Amino acid sequence: MPRLCRVKNVEIGAGRPLAVIAGPCVIESREMGLAIGRVLRDACREHGLSYIFKASFDKANRSSIASARGPGLETGVEWIGSIAAELGVPCTTDIHEPGQAEAAAERIDLLQIPAFLCRQTDLLVAAGRAAASRGRAVNVKKGQFLSPGEMSGPVRKLTETSCSNVMLTERGTFFGYGRLVNDFLGLGDLMELKGKGVDAPPPVCFDCTHSTQLPGAGEQTGGRPDRAPLLAKAAVAAGVHAVFIECHPEPSKALSDASTMLPLAGVPALLKQLAAIRAAG
């Protein structure tokens, strides 16, 4: 039986409501983040889903050095934390360097480790220690280059820092022809993760928007956001404990991940469908 991941007042895992981790890719302004979060929070409440506000303060892994990255650590964390406080929900953001862990953990309830960095020992140790000392949680995105079983390594590194409040996220695997694929056999394996140092499988989240990315599509990563709802519904039917969705009022004008984010206006209807699938399971 998977363990629970506790993110402030939200419990993620078997027997708990489906959790929705959603928001814009990068925090563009406090006002926009609050408007997006309010729509998502209200939709989740209507359909009996838990909600965690998500946004990034810095997009350190961009295709171009000229790409917009965000407001930075200090301003970004303040905006994200204040948005979550006003909405009355937990929040999450990704960190990229060990030195960011403590500063982020002051306001952020769930520290996210990006997929490309999921094996970086110093980052995992810093995140685990910061989370353990402040009662936070850590979400590790599975690297596009790893098998599900290899995620026992990051989990072990976190538990060895006394952080057992952990969740894992599936976000697609490199296939070799300019797209990611979602291995649902592997998703089942991830939900039943075993390995040295893994006493119980952590809850699993499915990232439906990043899973539609088309890496190597040019100066900016391409995507198929039209397929994100299909993937989200399949993942919820498969039994995942949380769903990760990036959305924006006008994705084409977004500063980051414009090619994969969902239009905000359509997300409440998708959440209604996900709630129905979860209830039927």
Side-chain angles (χ1 to χ4, degrees):
M1 183 71 105
R3 65 165 68 100
L4 295 179
C5 179
R6 294 175 173 84
V7 185
K8 203 171 182 178
N9 60 335
V10 170
E11 291 188 336
I12 303 171
R16 301 303 191 271
L18 179 70
V20 175
I21 302 171
C25 179
V26 67
I27 188 75
E28 298 181 20
S29 71
R30 187 183 183 282
E31 293 72 25
M32 179 182 286
L34 188 58
I36 294 171
R38 188 175 290 115
V39 170
L40 297 170
R41 179 202 62 186
D42 292 350
C44 285
R45 283 181 177 174
E46 180 180 355
H47 301 299
L49 307 173
S50 300
Y51 176 55
I52 298 172
F53 176 75
K54 179 272 163 191
S56 298
F57 60 80
D58 179 24
K59 302 306 294 182
N61 177 30
R62 301 303 308 275
S63 298
S64 169
I65 196 171
S67 296
R69 292 183 51 168
L73 177 64
E74 184 175 351
T75 299
V77 166
E78 195 282 324
W79 283 354
I80 296 166
S82 65
I83 288 168
E86 186 163 339
L87 293 174
V89 300
C91 60
T92 185
T93 196
D94 41 334
I95 59 173
H96 309 274
E97 302 172 4
Q100 297 175 340
E102 281 291 342
E106 290 183 7
R107 298 291 300 273
I108 305 300
D109 304 295
L110 177 64
L111 302 180
Q112 178 182 294
I113 306 299
F116 277 124
L117 302 177
C118 71
R119 296 187 66 182
Q120 297 301 304
T121 300
D122 290 347
L123 181 60
L124 288 164
V125 169
R129 288 175 175 167
S133 67
R134 295 181 179 274
R136 309 300 193 186
V138 179
N139 176 25
V140 186
K141 288 199 165 183
K142 183 181 78 66
Q144 301 93 322
F145 43 85
L146 292 181
S147 69
E150 289 175 296
M151 286 303 290
S152 63
V155 173
R156 184 170 64 253
K157 290 176 183 179
L158 288 167
T159 56
E160 289 176 353
T161 66
S162 299
C163 179
S164 59
N165 199 20
V166 177
M167 178 170 58
L168 302 178
T169 293
E170 167 61 44
R171 50 95 73 228
T173 302
F174 284 136
F175 197 60
Y177 59 96
R179 63 179 290 184
L180 300 175
V181 296
N182 294 105
D183 170 17
F184 279 79
L185 289 175
L187 184 63
D189 294 339
L190 193 62
M191 290 190 286
E192 298 176 358
L193 186 67
K194 302 175 183 177
K196 182 180 177 182
V198 182
D199 59 348
V204 171
C205 176
F206 185 86
D207 181 343
C208 69
T209 43
H210 284 105
S211 287
T212 69
Q213 282 184 336
L214 303 176
E219 187 71 11
Q220 295 180 336
T221 299
R224 289 289 308 277
D226 57 304
R227 295 303 190 202
L230 181 154
L231 291 174
K233 288 182 280 189
V236 172
V240 295
H241 309 103
V243 177
F244 182 105
I245 304 170
E246 286 190 339
C247 52
H248 191 280
E250 297 181 86
S252 64
K253 297 181 180 180
L255 297 182
S256 178
D257 279 2
S259 62
T260 56
M261 282 197 287
L262 293 179
L264 177 63
V267 176
L270 174 59
L271 296 180
K272 180 180 181 179
Q273 292 178 316
L274 297 183
I277 293 171
R278 180 60 175 262

Coordinates of all heavy atoms in Angstrom, one line a residue, residues 142 144 170-177 179-184 206 211-213 215 231:
K142 N 9.9 12.1 -12.5 CA 10.7 11.0 -13.0 C 11.5 11.5 -14.3 O 10.9 12.1 -15.2 CB 9.9 9.8 -13.4 CG 10.7 8.6 -14.0 CD 9.8 7.5 -14.3 CE 9.2 7.7 -15.7 NZ 10.1 7.7 -16.8
Q144 N 13.1 11.8 -17.9 CA 12.6 11.2 -19.1 C 13.5 10.1 -19.6 O 13.2 9.3 -20.5 CB 12.6 12.3 -20.2 CG 11.7 13.5 -19.9 CD 12.5 14.6 -19.2 OE1 13.3 14.4 -18.4 NE2 12.1 15.9 -19.5
E170 N 5.1 11.2 -12.9 CA 5.4 10.7 -14.3 C 5.1 11.8 -15.3 O 4.1 12.5 -15.2 CB 4.5 9.5 -14.6 CG 4.5 9.1 -16.0 CD 5.8 8.7 -16.6 OE1 6.5 7.9 -15.9 OE2 6.1 9.1 -17.7
R171 N 6.0 12.0 -16.2 CA 5.8 13.1 -17.2 C 6.4 12.7 -18.6 O 6.8 13.6 -19.4 CB 6.5 14.4 -16.7 CG 7.9 14.3 -16.3 CD 8.9 14.6 -17.3 NE 8.9 16.0 -17.5 CZ 8.9 16.6 -18.7 NH1 8.9 15.8 -19.8 NH2 8.9 17.9 -18.9
G172 N 6.3 11.4 -18.9 CA 6.7 11.0 -20.2 C 8.2 10.5 -20.3 O 9.0 10.9 -19.5
T173 N 8.5 9.7 -21.3 CA 9.8 9.2 -21.5 C 10.3 9.4 -22.9 O 9.5 9.3 -23.9 CB 9.8 7.6 -21.2 OG1 9.3 7.4 -19.9 CG2 11.1 7.0 -21.3
F174 N 11.6 9.7 -23.1 CA 12.1 9.9 -24.4 C 12.0 8.7 -25.2 O 12.2 7.6 -24.8 CB 13.6 10.3 -24.3 CG 13.9 11.7 -23.9 CD1 14.9 11.9 -22.9 CD2 13.2 12.7 -24.4 CE1 15.2 13.2 -22.5 CE2 13.5 14.0 -24.0 CZ 14.5 14.3 -23.0
F175 N 11.6 8.9 -26.5 CA 11.4 7.7 -27.4 C 12.3 7.8 -28.6 O 12.6 6.7 -29.2 CB 10.0 7.7 -27.8 CG 9.6 6.3 -28.4 CD1 9.7 5.2 -27.6 CD2 9.1 6.2 -29.7 CE1 9.3 3.9 -28.1 CE2 8.7 5.0 -30.2 CZ 8.9 3.8 -29.4
G176 N 12.8 8.9 -29.0 CA 13.8 9.0 -30.0 C 13.3 9.6 -31.4 O 14.1 9.6 -32.3
Y177 N 12.1 10.0 -31.5 CA 11.7 10.6 -32.7 C 10.9 11.9 -32.4 O 9.9 12.2 -33.0 CB 10.9 9.7 -33.6 CG 9.6 9.1 -33.0 CD1 8.4 9.7 -33.3 CD2 9.6 8.0 -32.3 CE1 7.2 9.2 -32.8 CE2 8.4 7.5 -31.8 CZ 7.2 8.1 -32.1 OH 6.0 7.5 -31.6
R179 N 9.4 13.1 -29.7 CA 8.2 13.2 -28.8 C 8.5 12.3 -27.6 O 9.4 11.5 -27.5 CB 7.0 12.6 -29.6 CG 7.0 11.2 -30.0 CD 5.8 10.7 -30.7 NE 4.7 10.6 -29.8 CZ 3.5 10.2 -30.1 NH1 3.3 9.8 -31.4 NH2 2.5 10.1 -29.2
L180 N 7.7 12.6 -26.6 CA 7.7 11.7 -25.4 C 6.5 10.7 -25.5 O 5.6 10.9 -26.2 CB 7.4 12.6 -24.1 CG 8.4 13.7 -23.9 CD1 8.0 14.5 -22.7 CD2 9.8 13.1 -23.6
V181 N 6.7 9.6 -24.8 CA 5.7 8.6 -24.8 C 5.3 8.3 -23.3 O 6.1 8.5 -22.4 CB 6.0 7.3 -25.5 CG1 6.3 7.5 -27.0 CG2 7.3 6.6 -24.8
N182 N 4.1 7.8 -23.1 CA 3.6 7.5 -21.8 C 3.5 6.0 -21.7 O 2.6 5.4 -22.4 CB 2.4 8.2 -21.4 CG 2.6 9.7 -21.3 OD1 2.2 10.4 -22.2 ND2 3.2 10.1 -20.3
D183 N 4.3 5.4 -20.9 CA 4.2 3.9 -20.7 C 3.3 3.6 -19.5 O 3.7 3.7 -18.4 CB 5.7 3.4 -20.5 CG 5.8 2.0 -20.0 OD1 4.8 1.3 -20.2 OD2 6.8 1.6 -19.5
F184 N 2.1 3.1 -19.8 CA 1.2 2.9 -18.7 C 1.5 1.6 -18.0 O 1.1 1.4 -16.8 CB -0.2 2.9 -19.2 CG -0.8 4.3 -19.3 CD1 -0.4 5.1 -20.4 CD2 -1.6 4.8 -18.3 CE1 -0.9 6.4 -20.5 CE2 -2.0 6.1 -18.4 CZ -1.7 6.9 -19.5
F206 N 0.5 12.3 -12.1 CA 0.7 12.2 -13.5 C 0.6 13.6 -14.1 O -0.4 14.3 -14.0 CB -0.4 11.4 -14.2 CG -0.2 11.2 -15.7 CD1 0.6 10.1 -16.1 CD2 -0.8 12.0 -16.6 CE1 0.9 10.0 -17.5 CE2 -0.6 11.8 -18.0 CZ 0.2 10.8 -18.4
S211 N 3.7 15.9 -20.5 CA 3.8 14.6 -21.3 C 3.5 14.7 -22.8 O 3.8 13.8 -23.5 CB 2.8 13.6 -20.7 OG 3.2 13.1 -19.4
T212 N 3.0 15.9 -23.2 CA 2.7 16.1 -24.6 C 3.8 16.8 -25.3 O 3.6 17.2 -26.5 CB 1.3 16.9 -24.7 OG1 1.5 18.2 -24.3 CG2 0.2 16.2 -24.0
Q213 N 4.9 17.1 -24.6 CA 6.0 17.9 -25.2 C 6.6 17.1 -26.4 O 6.6 15.9 -26.5 CB 7.1 18.1 -24.2 CG 6.8 19.2 -23.2 CD 8.0 19.5 -22.3 OE1 8.8 18.7 -22.1 NE2 8.0 20.7 -21.8
P215 N 10.1 17.3 -27.8 CA 11.4 17.8 -27.6 C 12.2 17.9 -28.9 O 11.9 17.1 -29.8 CB 12.1 16.8 -26.7 CG 11.0 16.0 -26.0 CD 9.9 16.0 -27.0
L231 N -4.7 11.9 -21.9 CA -3.7 11.3 -21.0 C -4.2 11.4 -19.6 O -4.0 10.5 -18.8 CB -2.4 12.0 -21.2 CG -1.7 11.7 -22.5 CD1 -0.4 12.6 -22.7 CD2 -1.3 10.2 -22.7

